[in-house]
Amino acid sequence: MLHEFHLYTNWPGKRNDIGDLTTKGLTTKISIPPEMDGPGIGTNPDEMLLGAAATCYIITLAAMLERSKINKKMLSMDSIGMVEAEKGVITYKKIIHKPVLVLESDASEKQRLLAEKLAHKAESSCMISRALKGNVEIELELTIRIG
């Protein structure tokens, strides 16, 4: 089954102007980030790619934990996107996900080990991670706590 996702963008000006992005669930301004000498209004392609990778990973992990009947108290994550500019060529080099998973206080060591395994499996199972494979390195810095 093929799924379609639609996104509309409008860019009315030149390089350092501000555009619009609209999806079914998001409307925001877009511009070049200040790190690349842009105005930094709204979001940008670098954040959007990082957001796609992060949301895909965390949703995939949550689904895997649920299917494995591992009860979590909390799941949150910081993600970092690393972009390199060299000789006028800008390349997305690496994404680092730093998930923090807190299991319920009655979680067993067996459940903790399974949760750790699933956290690593989620990275390779996520559709966005698979799309980036071979182009952008994805690293996982996992923290699991109980209680």
Side-chain angles (χ1 to χ4, degrees):
M1 175 183 292
L2 184 64
H3 301 281
E4 289 187 4
F5 298 92
H6 297 266
L7 180 139
Y8 172 78
T9 53
N10 176 44
W11 193 265
K14 296 181 179 174
R15 181 194 187 276
N16 279 342
D17 286 323
I18 300 162
D20 300 289
L21 177 144
T22 303
T23 69
K24 186 170 134 184
L26 174 69
T27 298
T28 188
K29 298 291 183 192
I30 54 174
S31 71
I32 295 173
E35 296 86 351
M36 296 175 185
D37 299 321
I41 305 296
T43 192
N44 59 68
D46 308 287
E47 289 176 341
M48 295 292 288
L49 182 63
L50 181 60
T55 55
C56 185
Y57 172 81
I58 203 164
I59 291 168
T60 301
L61 176 55
M64 292 174 128
L65 292 168
E66 182 180 334
R67 279 193 302 270
S68 297
K69 299 194 182 344
I70 295 176
N71 295 324
K72 64 177 174 52
K73 195 172 192 178
M74 192 264 304
L75 174 60
S76 64
M77 185 169 73
D78 284 320
S79 293
I80 301 166
M82 302 173 100
V83 177
E84 179 180 70
E86 191 173 300
K87 297 180 184 177
V89 177
I90 301 169
T91 305
Y92 217 112
K93 299 297 279 185
K94 184 181 200 177
I95 292 173
I96 303 169
H97 293 311
K98 298 180 177 189
V100 176
L101 172 60
V102 180
L103 301 176
E104 293 291 341
S105 56
D106 61 349
S108 67
E109 179 62 12
K110 184 177 177 182
Q111 288 175 314
R112 191 197 69 72
L113 289 171
L114 179 55
E116 183 176 349
K117 180 180 175 182
L118 293 173
H120 290 280
K121 186 176 180 183
E123 188 274 311
S124 60
S125 299
C126 161
M127 162 179 77
I128 302 300
S129 295
R130 289 192 326 264
L132 295 174
K133 190 173 183 164
N135 293 306
V136 178
E137 179 186 352
I138 299 179
E139 184 178 304
L140 193 63
E141 295 179 10
L142 174 64
T143 301
I144 298 179
R145 292 194 289 263
I146 301 200

